[in-house]
Amino acid sequence: MSGIEWLIAALVLIGAVFVLLGSVALVKLPDFYTRLHGPTKATTLGLGSLVLASMVFFNFVQNELSLQQLLIALFLFITAPVTAYMLIKAGMHQKVTAIEVTKNQHLMQASGKKPAP
Amino acid sequence: MMHHLPILPILVPLLTAALLLLPPFQAKLSRQRWFSGAGLLLLLVVSVLGLVESSTGVSSFYLLGNWPQPFGIVLVHDRLAAMFVLLAAVLAFAAWLFSLGGEDGQGAFYHPLLHFLLMGINGAFLTGDLFNLFVFFEVLLISSYGLLMHGGGKARARAGLHYVLMNLAGSAVFLLALALLYAVLGTLNIADMALRINQLEPSQALLVKAAAGMLLLVFGLKAAVLPLHFWLPSAYSSAAPAVAAMFAVMTKIGVYCLLRVFGTLFTEPGHPLQDFGQQLLWLAGLATLLLAAIGVVAAQSLKKLVAYLVLVSVGSLISVLAIGTVPAIAAVLYYCLHSTLIAAALFLLADVIAQQRGTVADRLVSGRPLQQPVLLGTLFIVAALAVVGMPPLSGFVGKIWLLQAATEVSERAALWSVLLLSSLLVLIALTRAGSTLFWRLNRQQAGSESASLPQLYAVLSLLLCSPLLVIFGDAVMQFCLATAQQLQTPLAVMTAGGNQ
Amino acid sequence: MTLFWILLMPLFGCLMALAARQWSRSYQALVVALFPALALALLVPLIPDVLAGEVIRYGFAWLPLLGLNFSLQLDGLSLLFTLLILGIGLLVILYARYYLSTRDSMPRFYAFLLLFMLAMLGIVLSGNLLQMWFFWELTSISSFLLISYWSHQPDARKGARMALTVTAAGGLALLAGILLIGQILGSYELSEILPQTAKLQQHAAYPVVLLLVLLGAFTKSAQFPFHFWLPNAMAAPTPVSAYLHSATMVKAGIFLLARLYPLLSGTDLWFLTVTLTGLSTLLVGAYFALFQHDIKGLLAYSTISHLGLITLLLGLDTDLAAVAAIFHIINHAIFKASLFMTAGIIDHETGSRDMRKINGLWGFMPVTATLAMVASASMAGVPLLNGFLSKEMFFTQTIHQGVLGSLSWLIPVLATVAAIFAVAYSARFIHDVFFNGQPIGLTKTPHEPPRYMRVPMEILVALCVLVGVFPELMIGSLLQQAAVAVLAAPPPAYSLAIWHGLNVPLLMSVVALIGGILLYINRKALFMFQAGFNETKAIYRFEAFIQRLVRRCRNSIEQIENGSFQRYILLLLLALLALAGAPLLELQQLRGQRAALPFDGLVIVGAILLIVAAVATVMVVRQRLLALVMISVVGLMVSLAFVRFSAPDLALTQLSVEVVTVVLLMLALYFLPHKSVKQSSSGHLVRDFTLASAIGVVVGSLAYAMMTNDSASISSYFLQNAKSGGGGTNVVNVILVDFRGFDTLGEITVLGIAALGILKLLTGIPRFMASADGEGRLWSKDRHPLLLAVISQALLPLALIVSVYIFFRGHNLPGGGFVAGLITAVAMILQYVAKGVDWVKPRLKVEYSTLIAIGILLATVTGLASWLFDRPFLTSWFDYFDVPLIGQIELASAIAFDLGVYFTVVGASLLILANLGKITTRYRPVHKEPS
Amino acid sequence: MMELLMSIVIGVLTACGVLMMLRARTFAVMLGLTMLSYAVNLFIFVSGGLTAGKGAVLGRSDIYSDPLPQALVLTAIVIGFAMTAFLVILAIRARADLGNDHVDGNSGKSQEDSA
Amino acid sequence: MMASWTEKLIPTPARSVMLFVVWLLLNNSLAPVHLVAATILALAIPLITASFRDKHTPFTHWRLALLYLLKVLGDIVLANVQVIRIVLGPNRLLRPGFVMVPLELRGALPLSILACTVSLTPGTVSAEILPYQNDPNEDVGERFLLIHVLDLADEAALMREIKQRYEQPLQEMFGC
Amino acid sequence: MLTQIVFVAMLLIGLGLLLNLWSLLRGPSMPDRLLALDTMYINSIALLLCYGIYGASNLHFEAALLIAMLGFVSTVAVCKFMLRGDIIE
Ligand code: NA
Ligand code: NA
């Protein structure tokens, strides 16, 4: 295995591990609001690393110009915050409970109202 | 242009329908009407030309995309296809005429949907490719769903749901059968399939048998054979009249497919799959016939009664089709023409009668006098005679021919007794219905609205076909016989004989 | 040819009757009568030839494939009937002119009457059995129309229906019999089948043939036990009764027996069946005739009795019996027609037919009374009248037969008994109507009818006397030739004389006469006895029978078709199981020849995900949103499976369809209840589960057998020709837009139609607004979340450029118009979701339905373009061009076709979703925030 | 043994689809049909046999999978989508017209009701 | 004249540039045919979609934007590792909480970018932009950003960081 | 060697998918499940990226891109449904 290939292997493994960790977090974390942070990790680091691996692989191992993968990353970066926003909105709307230690829980009810400063 | 004739019955309605969707036509109903009528007229011309061409006895194959058989899709234009295409065109013309009475304005897209339906029907009649048949099935089904719901209302919603669901299940089964056939035979061309079926190992033949069983189910569902008929009575009786009239040909598509597909696939003498399904069809046909006749007697409204009459014709057709001899198939073809036209006429007539009976509509209870009792009564009697199979209209020819198809003792015993008994039940039901509708009057005054001319002409034009089928009976019967004989030459042989 | 014209005359008359509706009543009658008269005039020149023994034939092939030829023949038997039909027909036309009131529609009556005449002539002139059946059924129909002429009377309607039902049932049996004869003997032509007696009678099916034909004949001729329809047919106008129910139609059955006499008779079965039927009919008719209070009822039962007599004669095993039968046909027609006319006159003049009210008419209408008395004397068999002669022959033949073996003596005895009753009811008719005191409670004072109304009667009664006195002169040769026709051989010698010396038959006549008068005088006791039976009228019994039939049918239909979709689909699935599963059971080994692929851990993971998600979907199906989420997982996994097994096109399509479907289902969910209550019993669940598993096993096994099966396929052709013939390297896409482009055209049409159908469904749907979700939570007030709105707008151009990319690469790489269209549609849907219909709608410049039309038209016109090059529809074209600076580019017709696909998909998807979104009301109820 | 796994998947999908089609509510039936069409699509797809190659794009592989079933599945997916869409709207219409979401259009409990 | 002509043809230069690049990325190619196609699409698509775009505060500070982007990317990578530790550590050590950040920033686009940034950087998720408004471009009263924080140690510090690191640069970029 | 490593990576991601399925089944709330589904989309993209390297083919790139786009739309649509019921209003 050449150095490039080792690089690719490392990036792939890092990416896969982060993706897995995101999923583990989803199972492990105690409430909806904390779980929501899990997939963000998978998106950002895991997929970023995999996209990089893929690009390196095609450009340097396969020797074909391939930058498409960037688009996937771009797409996810644009959409992930919206997804999270909509999910948490839905969660607060459905009054999904947060774990007790959560601070400022009253703010969840603030939706739609001008909050008291 | 003449060598494009086979595809015109598909393209003419397709183009008509698509153009009808454009804003200039969508803006005004009257424009839609005339353009739709012009399209139908063109289709009629094309169909007649096709019939004339096919009557030379030469089947033409139209290779779509100019790809050779069996790789591309092929259209088969022979007597059988030409005959059914013309039948559909005639029905559509009547449906169009009738709808000018105002029915086409009761919902959007009536005219485009009618043409799309025709496209699907004609495609199903013309294609020689099994998957393409599926596609056209879907075209005609989806159009029929739309048309069935034309005008709206509770009954239609209820019936439509069952109709759509049953057919969706049927489509799924069709696809399973198709895939299985492709897996074993490696082709989709029906004629090519027939050739390959003859070279199968026993285990593969069994898979083909399973696929054939599923196809039988699909075509049986289309034809509304017991126990797959349940969708029909409520769907047909609740549909708008012009739509129901058009639907009269839909069950015949099942019959057509049995003739075309099974008649091509399972004909090799001595092959384990020879005459596959005939025994089942025979029993199912007889059972359908009997049940349908009971349904006719039980019907509480004229439209329901007519819907069951459609089932009666299905039962007759299927059971005789199962006999499978050339005269039997010829009789089936003739009866197809007759029963379709008359059922359509009856659906239209039922609506005209219902309109004049006010609130009781077509329910078989005493009602107010009709505005045009003599005219409608005469039409009713004519239609009833035709449908019961009494002289002098086409029904008797069809019935006698069907009966004559049974030549074995056991066939005779079963077919004759069931067919004749059902005739009697139908007669009882129709005299009862007619007597109630026209004679059992309450004290109300007749309504003031007489039937609109287009509606009457539509009924008349369909009913007129019945005496024509008798007067030109010999020519029609000879055509049917020649068609049945042509079907005996398997498509596969013809295909091998002359490509294009 | 003359025969043809004779047959056609009544048809012309029928049409003339309808055409002449504006004329005066007399002219109408005259012009209608003209045609039967013409027919008679045409017939007269033929009579000498027929009487000389010639059979005149005319025919041409009509429907040769059925064996149904248009075939006419005039022999003695048909001549006799033709004369009766035309002669009495003419008289009835004249009579009806006066009988019908001004309220009755005369054209209709005459039209029906002549239609009937046509049918009747058709029967008797037929030289082909099927043709005879044709006219046979026509008589049933026309008689139905005539009986129900006064359709406002319930009795007329019911009577007509009953008559039709019974005779049509018989007609169906007859048809079966005729078809069987045709199949056995190879023809329906009388001239060809009548000589084949032996062949038919030795055939195993002969008893069936005989029974079927007899059923036809007996029902038509009102033989016991099918006689009941005839008395109820008396609701018809009396001219109809005079014509149909005495002279003609009821004789059609007799005619049939006579016509087929050479073919069917001569066997024990024939003798027994026909004789016994005739005998019982004779007795039943005669007995019940006596108790009728309605004049027409009496005549109807008398007719039944006389028909029985004729049938009995045809059943006896002597040749002369047949002659006697023919003779009585003539005589009965003459006297019974005149008697019905009498009944009509009485009805017309008194307004009643009840013999208990009508008394002493002798004083009011002596001429009519005299005529009636002569006719009824003939009916009773009084000497010097025609009825006597044939009755004498009848008695003679009852003595000479041996049909019942050692019990044969019963026949003459019972015949005498019947004759006694005949005399008694004849006596009653004369005494009760014309004498017996004064009328009771009549609405009008009776007097003689109009002059010409009586003429038909006068002619008929004159014939009674003339035939009675000069039988040989009047009808000798006609009878002779008719007998030849019936027996298919010259009959044995017989003499038509008034006096045959003192013999047993004469004794029987005398006994009958005296006995009958004695019986009538002592009728009181018998009337009392008969009154003890509580009989209901046949029509009520018939009606009740029909009601029962209808009820029973209705019950069975309701039980079978209970309106439950679950039952229907269950039956379909059972059928599937049987049809697809049965061959599997025969299969020795499921596994085929093809080498298997090894599997790896990843595939197992995929399978687990798929299966678990599928099962979970079923389990949570009542929590609908959750089920929707679960099924999305299934969809995702199916897409991944497509990727794994090298079908990238499928993956793309499945993914894009998936999201649109989910959006659609979610829209649906808003309008459907969000949850459903549990309703299934565990029994149903077990049943459904078993069935579903069985089908799963069958389909799975088929899939396995299929995958491992190794067969040659046409696919290699596509791989070889995709690039060279279709100009693309993505073979799947080339198949879609080229090899099987016609399928694709159909497919986008389906999509377009679906969209139209959906728009149709959505128009006029009640506007809907649910104020809270399934848990009762109020909806959020944030209609268009800010972040979503902003980002969605930014995504639109991105999505569009992706769809352009997917579109153009489709031909060579995975992609194509369909996926591109869906991506565009999804991007637009996102705008709808983010900003709502109110925002999007005004920004769109094109109607979705127009877009669909453009798409379909584009694809079709692309296909049509190949016609310009004289190639079949959809023949593709492509070429490579060198463009300066840019390089080589490919242009292909497939691109235009695919563009059509794209437009249709975009139009259809958006038409569906945008319109569905529109059906909610814009403003929601204001709700208070829970504090 | 990939074939076996695939058959099991198809069988399970079919069974689940059928089971849901036998429910009494339109939504369940719609899901059932959707599930069934997944099964059917896979069934068609594998009718050309399973290939672990790289698809049917010329020049991208040495073993090509059978392209024809793929084309058929594509058509089937589109048609299935059209049909599902119509069914969904029909179910909505039926609910609006008939007042309930029972497949028979009756809210009550006929003899064969089950959810 | 000239300006309005370009404005009409290229209403959104940023968008056009992005599309041009995206097309080339999609095709993995700089071939002339793709350059031509990219140009055409980069011009055509914005025109087609012009009506589907709300008018936003114009943004011209390209250099600032690039810097902002790099800063965010860096934040993502650095903070991620730390957050992973929190996520995988025992649940009882979690200190989640909500924070309501009052904003000076106005305008739909800047607000959205801020919310996205907050969500993308690990440990925080934008939950709501308050108050709801029918027209987000209209500046009325105060605006707040509700955030869910995975590890809320110091509320004030977090608020300060968000305002300084992200809100201020955005304010500069959009000139508000 | 690289392929083996990539395959191991794919197995890890597959494990992630199974965990997502577990989250999806467990819930407990609807937003929880939806979050699990969304994560599944992302993990599928990851899987496809690896599969591209594994098979040395970028034929699956579009599938990944589509999952990114369409997964987003469907998640957002379900959220909108939970918030407003009517997703296209
Ligand atoms: Na009296
Ligand atoms: Na964040």
Side-chain angles (χ1 to χ4, degrees), chain C residues 111-134:
Chain C
F112 291 165
L113 196 73
L114 276 123
L115 186 66
F116 171 77
M117 188 184 276
L118 165 79
M120 207 55 218
L121 277 181
I123 292 180
V124 300
L125 289 175
S126 277
N128 179 295
L129 272 183
L130 275 181
Q131 189 202 347
M132 188 190 288
W133 179 80
F134 177 96

Side-chain angles (χ1 to χ4, degrees), chain E residues 117-125:
Chain E
T117 313
V118 168
S119 288
L120 278 173
T121 49
T124 49
V125 173

Side-chain angles (χ1 to χ4, degrees), chain F residues 59-80:
Chain F
L59 275 180
H60 314 301
F61 156 73
E62 287 75 20
L65 187 65
L66 246 63
I67 295 179
M69 267 176 73
L70 304 175
F72 165 68
V73 174
S74 86
T75 308
V76 162
V78 178
C79 288
K80 177 91 192 278

